[in-house]
Amino acid sequence: MGCMTRVRCIVFNAALGALDYRVPEGMDAPPGSVVVLPLGPRQILGVVWDDGDLPRDNYPEHKLRSVLEVLPVPPLPAPLRRLIAWVADYYLAPLSAVARMALSSSAALKGSGTVTEYRLTGEEPARMTPQRLQALDLLQGEQATMRELAEIAGVSEGVLRGMLSQGLLEPVLVDSDRPYPAPDPLFAAPALAEQQAEAAAEMVEAVAAHRFQPFLLDGVTGSGKTETYFEAVAAALEAGRQVLVLLPEIALTAAFLGRFEARFGVTPVTWHSSLKASERRRAWRQVAFGGAKVVVGARSALFLPFADLGLVVVDEAHEVAFKQDDGVRYNARDVAVMRGHFEGVPVVLASATPALESLQMAEAGRYKRLVLPSRFGGAQLPKIEIINLTELQPPRGRWLAPPLVEALQDRLAKGEQSLLFLNRRGYAPLTLCRHCGFRFKCPNCSAWLVEHRLSQRLACHHCGHEVPPPPVCPECGEPDCLVACGPGVERIADEVGELLPGARVAVVTSDTLASPAAAAEFVAQAEGGAIDVIVGTQLVTKGFHFPELTLVGVVDADMGLDGGDLRAAERTYQQIAQVAGRAGRGAKPGEVLIQTRHPKAEVIAALASGSRDAFYAAETEARREAGAPPFGRWAAIIVSSEDEAEAREAARAIGGTRPDEPGVLILGPAPAPLSLLRGRHRYRLLIAARRSAEVQKLIRSWLAPLRFPPGVRVAVDIDPYSFV
Ligand code: ADP
Ligand code: ZN
């Protein structure tokens, strides 16, 4: 027998880790190959991994089983394999769970092929039914598989098949591997302002040199950061390379696509959770074959198998949404920098309000800071004023103080737009019975149910549990006794409607902008002047550019400071500075009114006086003194079970074996602030260590010997953002 090829494979089963297999003669399975493997009586997906990355498997050679098949996709490239290994190691996640994030389209793994999609023919139906009418309306301009069309149209596949046989729909054969139109780097290059040109030159140079270099593109709102990093995108395109742009929320893609198309002639490829399976397949394969040049996506796009990546951009890089808090708990901003490191390409973190961590990295010389200190085209930053709610109270049952109401009336009279910001979805955060005091609580979570009047539901914002508002109190049976406590955006919108009759008010939250299409519709309406007052959550605080918007009102600046975790002040500063940045971006100057009960609070005072540097400096000092991130390393251990006693026992067992190391402080276990979540009881421990401490190693050897009942989940959160 000749020399046998033995390969290590990550198998897609978290409990198993890596196993050795034999590569049969004539099969080519280099590292990164996606393979089908035998496992017991079953077949399982796996990836051929690099020697040396993993502990050896001493399974006897003659007993090894053979790789069954190499799937028809390019092997995961080496830089992506390095990234997967790094993420698994740093975030203490199973290698297979991270590798799975890279194989994010199962259809793509089946290879190329054709898909039959369908579209309207434009024929008029001989016999009209309400369902057909609905389909004809909703399927305008759509082309997708039967199943996907049925979903879009909200009718059964049977209805569509009927329409097919009537000639109202026609089939189209689509090649799943057809490339995307290529963006043209020279399509419409703008003349850059001097400060933009200087920043762009630095990034372009690093792209051309194919060199790892993190940049912190730190520019005030409206300074033209997008146009500036577009120059780096153009440079990567000219070099024939691919580009990844990460955005924190799908809602922002709509605005981004338009701007990209205006600059490069075509829209980029998008990657997010609401893509159809056929779109995912095409995007994944074209990324792997190099036919998708620019991909804009949510954090999951970080793990796409780019053939030849030339640049990574993280826009709104300070956003908390880049932190994933379930499954593999990673921070996409930090992983993006690591991807750039392994690919040997520059990474641009763009923000008007950088995370303290990022500023600190710039300070330490690890990131290069590029500053855009003024708005593009001579637009002025808005004037910011404080409304002290302890002196200027809104009338009972209302939330907008008189100066804010006057300002709103003034803008409406002038035909200008206003934006009211309140980071609370729904109508009211708490509903209770006026008769007996009963409060509506989620049965699965330690949280109140939030009233949503638009959808007529009481909803839990943690687990999605929903009930219609009952006609009588479930506790005392009294009819019509429910009272809403406190404001949400819907209630503010009602108030605006009463105060400004005739004003066109839009509520903008993740409920109303659930899809890219809905977001595009909103952008078109706002830009077209069809909205007078936008009432929105943090979703509208960033990215949008509405030239006619001249007034921003912050309904409750104190909200984010309640229950203050590590980043409460920083986050409040970022949110308010960002939303303020929506005002006065065009020719007309902007004004920002901030309602607060604590006008003297450091963060509020800093916002009012426009002293960003002073605020960051004070915040940095406070963190340094407390040994908090970025000056110390934090990690959390979250223990949960459906059984409260079981969760408590497991948490105690962990707490009882805590390592005792100098420079490492371990707090807890204590019941989590959100002690019940999706039916699971939760306990937390916090590890606070010196920057130099090897936290991962410590946690790994701490938890490794412990065994728990099957119902117990132990999650580790490195560099946590959430403390609930
Ligand atoms: P930021 O992202 O920094 O808040 P934007 O990138 O949204 O700022 O830019 C603000 C506005 O200025 C946008 O309408 C943008 O199209 C415009 N703009 C920026 N730079 C240029 C330029 N060099 N030429 C023309 N328009 C520009
Ligand atoms: Zn719930």
Side-chain angles (χ1 to χ4, degrees):
M1 208 166 86
C3 174
M4 188 199 73
T5 317
R6 175 178 187 140
V7 287
R8 307 241 57 194
C9 295
I10 301 176
V11 292
F12 280 15
N13 176 321
L16 283 175
L19 297 174
D20 275 11
Y21 283 87
R22 164 206 303 271
V23 180
E25 215 151 310
M27 182 186 274
D28 190 26
S33 299
V34 184
V35 289
V36 181
L37 302 167
L39 186 76
R42 293 178 303 128
Q43 296 186 359
I44 192 166
L45 210 59
V47 181
V48 176
W49 214 246
D50 307 75
D51 267 348
D53 260 14
L54 301 164
R56 283 222 61 80
D57 174 354
N58 291 320
Y59 202 66
E61 195 120 330
H62 66 274
K63 284 196 186 162
L64 286 185
R65 300 179 70 183
S66 290
V67 174
L68 296 173
E69 188 190 349
V70 178
L71 294 180
V73 288
L76 298 183
L80 178 55
R81 300 201 301 277
R82 299 276 80 75
L83 185 81
I84 291 169
W86 183 87
V87 167
D89 188 57
Y90 186 86
Y91 292 108
L92 298 183
L95 204 45
S96 60
V98 186
R100 201 189 284 273
M101 296 196 295
L103 303 184
S104 40
S105 159
S106 49
L109 305 179
K110 293 184 186 130
S112 64
T114 48
V115 190
T116 308
E117 296 187 339
Y118 299 85
R119 64 179 177 214
L120 294 176
T121 55
E123 292 291 311
E124 286 294 318
R127 195 173 56 83
M128 194 59 98
T129 68
Q131 286 183 320
R132 284 187 180 178
L133 203 59
Q134 182 177 330
L136 284 174
D137 181 31
L138 292 172
L139 296 183
Q140 285 304 328
E142 299 283 354
Q143 176 178 317
T145 62
M146 273 292 179
R147 174 144 36 106
E148 290 159 354
L149 288 182
E151 204 159 285
I152 297 167
V155 301
S156 73
E157 286 184 50
V159 171
L160 296 185
R161 266 189 230 102
M163 290 174 64
L164 179 65
S165 62
Q166 301 271 305
L168 304 179
L169 281 173
E170 64 185 358
V172 190
L173 265 192
V174 191
D175 176 5
S176 66
D177 277 356
R178 65 201 186 286
Y180 295 90
D184 174 3
L186 301 174
F187 183 77
L192 295 183
E194 196 179 327
Q195 58 181 25
Q196 288 179 312
E198 281 171 18
E202 297 247 15
M203 293 185 281
V204 165
E205 189 274 324
V207 169
H210 208 291
R211 181 182 75 230
F212 170 58
Q213 170 66 61
F215 290 103
L216 179 60
L217 181 57
D218 180 0
V220 298
T221 54
S223 56
K225 292 184 287 296
T226 316
E227 310 295 337
T228 307
Y229 72 66
F230 274 176
E231 291 311 295
V233 173
L237 290 171
E238 265 164 20
R241 302 214 169 83
Q242 295 167 289
V243 177
L244 168 63
V245 179
L246 292 182
L247 295 179
E249 273 145 6
I250 304 181
L252 291 177
T253 20
F256 182 88
L257 296 184
R259 294 184 62 172
F260 188 92
E261 189 175 8
R263 170 67 180 82
F264 294 105
V266 297
T267 53
V269 178
T270 55
W271 182 266
H272 49 76
S273 55
S274 53
L275 285 189
K276 296 180 289 200
S278 55
E279 292 170 329
R280 285 180 94 75
R281 170 184 183 153
R282 181 180 177 206
W284 195 95
R285 291 185 63 82
Q286 284 307 310
V287 166
F289 287 108
K293 289 299 178 197
V294 178
V295 177
V296 52
R299 59 188 178 222
S300 60
L302 258 181
F303 294 94
L304 285 171
F306 288 93
D308 187 8
L309 195 58
L311 171 71
V312 181
V313 178
V314 185
D315 206 346
E316 310 292 355
H318 62 280
E319 268 300 313
V320 180
F322 283 120
K323 178 69 167 63
Q324 171 149 311
D325 271 332
D326 50 18
V328 178
R329 293 165 190 255
Y330 66 95
N331 188 322
R333 178 195 70 214
D334 298 338
V335 176
V337 173
M338 291 314 290
R339 177 120 202 200
H341 169 71
F342 292 123
E343 301 272 356
V345 303
V347 181
V348 178
L349 308 182
S351 175
T353 54
L356 216 107
E357 282 87 349
S358 305
L359 276 174
Q360 192 52 40
M361 292 298 265
E363 196 83 340
R366 309 269 295 271
Y367 297 178
K368 192 177 270 182
R369 184 160 166 222
L370 306 171
V371 183
L372 303 179
S374 52
R375 281 191 159 176
F376 178 78
Q380 292 304 301
L381 282 166
K383 188 169 70 157
I384 299 184
E385 271 170 276
I386 303 294
I387 299 176
N388 183 349
L389 287 179
T390 60
E391 288 165 6
L392 292 161
Q393 281 182 16
R396 234 183 104 75
R398 298 209 187 256
W399 317 96
L400 305 177
L404 182 51
V405 176
E406 277 163 37
L408 285 166
Q409 285 162 338
D410 172 63
R411 301 310 137 119
L412 184 65
K414 290 192 199 146
E416 296 173 8
Q417 279 173 336
S418 305
L419 164 60
L420 294 175
F421 166 61
L422 177 68
N423 206 16
R424 205 180 255 150
R425 291 157 53 207
Y427 184 84
L430 170 65
T431 303
L432 50 77
C433 168
R434 122 168 20 95
H435 191 67
C436 74
F438 174 79
R439 297 164 167 219
F440 283 82
K441 240 183 118 229
C442 176
N444 315 316
C445 306
S446 33
W448 307 124
L449 292 181
V450 178
E451 181 182 1
H452 287 247
R453 287 218 174 149
L454 294 176
S455 59
Q456 301 196 332
R457 285 281 183 279
L458 294 169
C460 172
H461 286 179
H462 296 285
C463 71
H465 172 82
E466 284 191 344
V467 288
V472 301
C473 171
E475 187 71 14
C476 68
E478 189 78 5
D480 299 321
C481 61
L482 304 185
V483 272
C485 298
V489 281
E490 291 179 7
R491 194 169 200 176
I492 301 297
D494 276 6
E495 185 171 335
V496 173
E498 284 164 28
L499 293 167
L500 277 64
R504 296 160 301 172
V505 184
V507 173
V508 180
T509 70
S510 55
D511 303 303
T512 62
L513 289 201
S515 68
E521 166 97 21
F522 161 66
V523 170
Q525 288 199 341
E527 282 178 354
I531 300 172
D532 299 310
V533 183
I534 301 166
V535 185
T537 59
Q538 52 81 29
L539 203 63
V540 287
T541 57
K542 64 221 158 232
F544 295 108
H545 178 79
F546 302 136
E548 289 302 312
L549 202 160
T550 57
L551 173 69
V552 165
V554 177
V555 177
D556 182 356
D558 311 328
M559 208 170 85
L561 292 168
D562 294 348
D565 66 43
L566 172 67
R567 295 182 181 82
E570 182 190 352
R571 211 161 40 223
T572 297
Y573 184 88
Q574 289 166 333
Q575 269 182 356
I576 296 178
Q578 288 287 346
V579 73
R582 298 313 110 199
R585 294 169 70 93
K588 296 169 195 151
E591 181 185 18
V592 180
L593 299 175
I594 301 177
Q595 299 196 136
T596 174
R597 299 186 172 281
H598 306 287
K600 298 244 155 56
E602 205 163 35
V603 40
I604 306 292
L607 283 159
S609 60
S611 36
R612 187 187 101 162
D613 293 350
F615 172 73
Y616 273 107
E619 191 65 15
T620 304
E621 259 340 283
R623 297 253 192 109
R624 195 195 305 272
E625 246 156 57
F631 302 100
R633 277 186 198 286
W634 282 14
I637 299 177
I638 304 135
V639 185
S640 69
S641 165
E642 286 179 12
D643 183 74
E644 142 69 30
E646 201 177 69
R648 192 175 48 219
E649 286 296 304
R652 275 195 196 145
I654 293 174
T657 57
R658 71 183 63 213
D660 183 12
E661 283 210 22
V664 180
L665 186 66
I666 298 173
L667 305 168
L674 199 55
S675 59
L676 182 68
L677 177 64
R678 293 185 204 100
R680 302 183 70 84
H681 299 270
R682 306 164 76 241
Y683 283 78
R684 297 185 69 106
L685 295 99
L686 182 71
I687 297 114
R690 275 198 313 253
R691 182 111 201 117
S692 58
E694 294 187 82
V695 174
Q696 284 87 346
K697 200 166 137 194
L698 174 131
I699 296 176
R700 212 176 271 123
S701 47
W702 174 11
L703 297 183
L706 299 176
R707 293 288 167 272
F708 303 104
V712 170
R713 241 182 260 158
V714 178
V716 178
D717 191 2
I718 302 287
D719 308 332
Y721 269 62
S722 163
F723 299 90
V724 295

